[in-house]
C-alpha cells in the first residue's frame, strides 16, 4: 500500500562533479540514474513528479509530470522543493534526490509515522543529515517562499526555522549513498551488478575481483624516479627500460672443452695443434689448413675455425690431434649476440627487478638503473582496546598485531613505510592522524573501525575531507573494506580482525599498491589446483580464502591440507599456513580428496 503522500524527485541540480552532465540521465547499469529512484519510490507513494530544468522531453518519457523550477529563479534543492510544494496533490510531500539509487523500501511510511504533527521529517543516516531526503508539509510553502526571498539558499537553514523532526536512519545508512562523481558512479554500478547482499548486510556485496578492478581503474602510478646502483635496485620498479649496450656474448665462443677446427679439414688424418684459447685468454693469430687450437668453454673461437670438437672425440699426442668424430660446421659454438643484441630492450619499464634481472643487467656492463621512487605508505591501527608492545594490558585490552603483519607485508612490497602507531577511536585524534599521514605519504592505510554500522569515523572523515568508496566484499575472511581518497592521498581502510586485514590486504590492497608504485603488469598471484586432504566447511555466498599448507605426502605427491580453525581472529592460522585455499562464492562444503584452487603466499 502506498503511503498517502506525493513524491518529488529533485533532478534539477548542476552536477558540477559530473562535469555538468544532467545527472538524472547519466546511465547507471542499464538505465538512467533517475529511473532507479523512480523504481524505488513510485510504488511507495500516491503521486510522483520530477523537478528538472533541462532535457524535459527525456524526463517526460518516464510518464510523470515534469516540474520546471527555473521560473523561481533559484538553482538548487530549495527551488525544487518549492516547486514540489506548489504541485503536491497531497498534504505531505516526500523529496528525494535523483542520485541515491538504493533508497529504502519504507521511506515515506517511516517518515510519515515519525512526523506526527510536525512540519518536516528529515533523514539522519547516523553520520549526517540527509537534507534532501525529507517529508515536508504543504503548509510550509509560504515559509519557504519568505526564506528564499530573503536570499536563503541552504536547505538545512530553512529546516531549522520549522518544527523539524530528525529521523535516525543509521540502520539503513548504506541505502542513502549518493553518486557525485564518475568514480562513484562506477562503484555504484558494480554494486548494482553484483550479487545481492548476504548475511544481513544491506550494502550489496562486490566480489573480490570487482572491488580490485575498481581500485586498479581508480589509481594511476606515482611519478618521480631515481638513479640507483645496481644492487640497491633489487625489488624496485624500473622507470625506464634497460637496453643492451653491446651484444652478449660479445664474441663467438666455445660451448665445450675441446679443439677449435676447420670442418674443411675433415678428410685429413690428423691436425697440428698450434696453440690454445682459454676463457679470458684468446688465441691471437689465425687458423690455417690442417691446424687446430685447444679451446675451453667460453674461449673465443679463433679466426679461421668454424666448429669445436668435444675433447672426448679427439686423441691428442704431443703436437698432433686425431679427430675421431668430426663436428658439423658451427657445432659447439655459442654465437656473438646469441643472448642479447646491442640495442635490445632486455627489461621493460614497470618491471620489478629480480635476482635474475640483476645478473642480466650486469651482463650488459651497466652499473646503474633508473627506477621509480618508492611508494610512501603511512599506516596506523585504530581501536581503544589496542596497546603497543611494551605497554601493560588491562582488562579487555589486546596488543596491536596488525601493525606488525602490515609492516611485514609492506616491507615485502618494498614500499617506504611511515608507522603512525595506534590511534584511539576518537574523531579528533583520527583526523589529526589522517592529516599527518596524508601530508607525508602517497597512501594512507588503517586497520579497524570499518565494519558496517561502525564505519563511523573513517567513512565520515573521508566524506568530510576526501571521497569514500566503501563496500561490503563477498569474501571471507574480510567483508568491509573502505577505499577512497583522503585529501591528496589514497586511502585503504582494512577490517580490524587480524586474518581479515591480511587477506584483504593481499587480495586487493597489495595489487593496487603495486600499480601505484609503477608496476607495468597487473599483479597476478600464481594459482593452481591440487587435491585437498582435509574436508572443508563452507557455506555458499562468499568467496573464501581458507588457510592451507602445501605438503608432500608419504607417497611423494603434492597436496594441500587445512591448517584447522579458520576464524578471522586466529592469526596463528596465517602463520602456520603457506597458502590460501581459494573457494568460489557458490561452493558448498568440500569433501576430502577434492581438487581445490591454491594460492601460495607471496607476501607473508
Ligand atoms: P574492528 O574492525 O575495529 O571492529 O575490529 C574487529 C576485531 O579486530 C576486534 O576484535 C578488534 O579488537 C580486532 N582488532 C582491531 N584492530 C586490531 C589490531 N591492530 N591488532 C589486533 N586486533 C585488532
Ligand atoms: Mg575497532
Amino acid at each position: 500500500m502506498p503511503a498517502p503522500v506525493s513524491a518529488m524527485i529533485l533532478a534539477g541540480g548542476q552536477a558540477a562533479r559530473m562535469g555538468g552532465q544532467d545527472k538524472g540521465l547519466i546511465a547507471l547499469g542499464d538505465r538512467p540514474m533517475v529511473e532507479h529512484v523512480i523504481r524505488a519510490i513510485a510504488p511507495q507513494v500516491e503521486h510522483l513528479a520530477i523537478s528538472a530544468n533541462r532535457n524535459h522531453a527525456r524526463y517526460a518519457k518516464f510518464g510523470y509530470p515534469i516540474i520546471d523550477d527555473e521560473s523561481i529563479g533559484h538553482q538548487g534543492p530549495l527551488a525544487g522543493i518549492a516547486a514540489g510544494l506548489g504541485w503536491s496533490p497531497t498534504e505531505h510531500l516526500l523529496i528525494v534526490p535523483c542520485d541515491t539509487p538504493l533508497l529504502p523500501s519504507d521511506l515515506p511510511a517511516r517518515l510519515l509515522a515519525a512526523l506526527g504533527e510536525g512540519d518536516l521529517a528529515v533523514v539522519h543516516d547516523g553520520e549526517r543529515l540527509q537534507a534532501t531526503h525529507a517529508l515536508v508539509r504543504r503548509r510550509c510553502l509560504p515559509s519557504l517562499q519568505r526564506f528564499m526571498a530573503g536570499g536563503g539558499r541552504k536547505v538545512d537553514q530553512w529546516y531549522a526555522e520549522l518544527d523539524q523532526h530528525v529521523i535516525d536512519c543509521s540502520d539503513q545508512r548504506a541505502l542513502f549513498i549518493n553518486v557525485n562523481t564518475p568514480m562513484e558512479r562506477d562503484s555504484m554500478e558494480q554494486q548494482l551488478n553484483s550479487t545481492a547482499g548476504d548475511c544481513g548486510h544491506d550494502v550489496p556485496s562486490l566480489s573480490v575481483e570487482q572491488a580490485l578492478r575498481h581500485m586498479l581503474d581508480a589509481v594511476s602510478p606515482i611519478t618521480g624516479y631515481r638513479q640507483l646502483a645496481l644492487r640497491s635496485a633489487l625489488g624496485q620498479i624500473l622507470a625506464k627500460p634497460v637496453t643492451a649496450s653491446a651484444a652478449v656474448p660479445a664474441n663467438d665462443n666455445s660451448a665445450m672443452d675441446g679443439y677449435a677446427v676447420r670442418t674443411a679439414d675433415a678428410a685429413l688424418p690428423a691436425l697440428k695443434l698450434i696453440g690454445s684459447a682459454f676463457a679470458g685468454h684468446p688465441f691471437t693469430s689465425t687458423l690455417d689448413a690442417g691446424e687446430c687450437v685447444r679451446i675451453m668453454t667460453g674461449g673465443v673461437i679463433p679466426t679461421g675455425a668454424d666448429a669445436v670438437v668435444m675433447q672426448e672425440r679427439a686423441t691428442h699426442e704431443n703436437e698432433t690431434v686425431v679427430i675421431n668424430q668430426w663436428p658439423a660446421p658451427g657445432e659447439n659454438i655459442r654465437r656473438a649476440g646469441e643472448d642479447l643484441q646491442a640495442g635490445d630492450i632486455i627489461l621493460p619499464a614497470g618491471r620489478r627487478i629480480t635476482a635474475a634481472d640483476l645478473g642480466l643487467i650486469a651482463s650488459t656492463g651497466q652499473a646503474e638503473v633508473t627506477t621509480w621512487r618508492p611508494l610512501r605508505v603511512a599506516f596506523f591501527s585504530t581501536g581503544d582496546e589496542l596497546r603497543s608492545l611494551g605497554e601493560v594490558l588491562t582488562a579487555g585490552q589486546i596488543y596491536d598485531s596488525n601493525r606488525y603483519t602490515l609492516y611485514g607485508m609492506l616491507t615485502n612490497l618494498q614500499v617506504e613505510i611511515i608507522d603512525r602507531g595506534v590511534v584511539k577511536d576518537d574523531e579528533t585524534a583520527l583526523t589529526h592522524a589522517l592529516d599527518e599521514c596524508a601530508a607525508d605519504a602517497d597512501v594512507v592505510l588503517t586497520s579497524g573501525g570499518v565494519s558496517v554500522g561502525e564505519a563511523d569515523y573513517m567513512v565520515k572523515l573521508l566524506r568530510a575531507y576526501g571521497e569514500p568508496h566503501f563496500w561490503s566484499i563477498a569474501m571471507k575472511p574480510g567483508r568491509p573494506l573502505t577505499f577512497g581518497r583522503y585529501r591528496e592521498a589514497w586511502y585503504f581502510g582494512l577490517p580490524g580482525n587480524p586474518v581479515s586485514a591480511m587477506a584483504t590486504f593481499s587480495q586487493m590492497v597489495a595489487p593496487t599498491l603495486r600499480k601505484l608504485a609503477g608496476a607495468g603488469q597487473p599483479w597476478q598471484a600464481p594459482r593452481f589446483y591440487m587435491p585437498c586432504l582435509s574436508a572443508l566447511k563452507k557455506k555458499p555466498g562468499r568467496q573464501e580464502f581458507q588457510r592451507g599448507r602445501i605438503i608432500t605426502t608419504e607417497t611423494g605427491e603434492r597436496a594441500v591440507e587445512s591448517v584447522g580453525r579458520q576464524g578471522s581472529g586466529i592469526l596463528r592460522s596465517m602463520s602456520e599456513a603457506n597458502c590460501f585455499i581459494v573457494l568460489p562464492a557458490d561452493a558448498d562444503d568440500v569433501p576430502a580428496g577434492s581438487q581445490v584452487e591454491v594460492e601460495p603466499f607471496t607476501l607473508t
Side-chain angles (χ1 to χ4, degrees), residues 182-505:
M183 218 147 95
E184 287 173 3
R185 192 204 71 98
D186 292 350
S187 165
M188 180 63 74
E189 190 154 75
Q190 284 169 340
Q191 289 201 27
L192 292 170
N193 288 343
S194 64
T195 51
D198 59 296
C199 311
H201 277 247
D202 50 11
V203 184
S205 294
L206 248 60
S207 68
V208 172
E209 199 190 327
Q210 286 171 320
L212 176 59
R213 199 175 331 119
H214 175 92
M215 291 157 89
L216 290 175
D217 286 349
V219 305
S220 313
I222 52 164
T223 51
Y225 46 79
R226 55 185 188 165
Q227 201 72 10
L228 284 184
L230 189 51
R231 278 200 184 93
S232 324
L234 180 63
Q236 301 298 312
I237 297 173
L238 281 174
K240 293 186 178 164
V242 178
T243 53
S245 44
V248 178
N251 306 98
D252 290 358
N253 66 87
S254 178
M256 293 285 170
D257 291 344
Y259 301 90
V261 298
R262 299 156 34 108
T263 50
D265 292 343
L268 300 178
L271 302 175
K272 181 173 178 217
L273 187 65
I274 58 161
S276 62
F278 294 164
H281 302 279
F283 179 75
T284 45
S285 64
T286 306
L287 213 65
D288 286 324
E291 294 176 342
C292 69
V293 163
R294 179 87 172 114
I295 195 163
M296 294 296 158
T297 305
V300 174
I301 304 295
T303 315
D306 69 345
V308 170
V309 59
M310 287 167 67
Q311 59 190 13
E312 294 79 358
R313 296 186 179 161
T315 330
H316 174 194
E317 224 185 284
N318 300 324
E319 303 292 280
T320 305
V321 178
V322 175
I323 309 298
N324 303 319
Q325 192 182 332
W326 276 85
E331 201 169 323
N332 299 325
I333 293 180
R334 298 194 291 220
R335 294 291 175 195
E338 191 174 88
D339 194 352
L340 304 170
Q341 300 276 352
D344 277 357
I345 291 189
I346 57 172
L347 294 168
R351 162 94 182 178
R352 183 179 290 275
I353 298 171
T354 64
D357 297 344
L358 288 185
L360 192 63
I361 299 165
S363 76
T364 69
Q366 297 174 77
E368 288 190 341
V369 289
T370 310
T371 65
W372 294 116
R373 71 162 172 86
L375 188 68
R376 275 193 295 274
V377 180
F379 71 91
F380 59 86
S381 301
T382 72
D384 287 349
E385 75 282 28
L386 301 178
R387 287 292 170 276
S388 293
L389 299 185
E391 294 179 353
V392 177
L393 296 188
T394 56
Q397 298 183 335
I398 57 171
Y399 286 115
D400 171 11
S401 60
N402 287 347
R403 233 161 86 227
Y404 291 85
T405 50
L406 288 172
Y407 167 84
M409 293 191 293
L410 289 167
T411 302
N412 288 341
L413 276 175
Q414 310 268 352
V415 300
E416 214 171 275
I417 300 167
I418 303 166
D419 181 346
R420 184 64 181 64
V422 174
V423 178
K424 293 250 185 278
D425 293 318
D426 168 85
E427 194 170 332
T428 313
L430 290 167
T431 310
H432 185 60
L434 285 169
D435 283 347
E436 270 187 9
C437 289
D440 291 346
D442 306 297
V443 171
V444 182
L445 186 65
T446 65
S447 81
V450 291
S451 320
V452 174
E454 190 220 351
D456 334 285
Y457 299 119
M458 288 334 217
V459 176
K460 181 174 178 184
L461 295 174
L462 248 57
R463 282 230 170 88
Y465 303 110
E467 201 180 314
H469 305 230
F470 65 102
W471 312 288
S472 170
I473 315 260
M475 85 182 270
K476 187 178 174 184
R479 195 189 340 238
L481 181 70
T482 301
F483 164 68
R485 286 194 80 85
Y486 185 86
R487 297 195 188 278
E488 295 305 304
W490 289 106
Y491 171 80
F492 299 87
L494 302 174
N497 272 314
V499 184
S500 309
M502 289 191 84
T504 48
F505 182 91

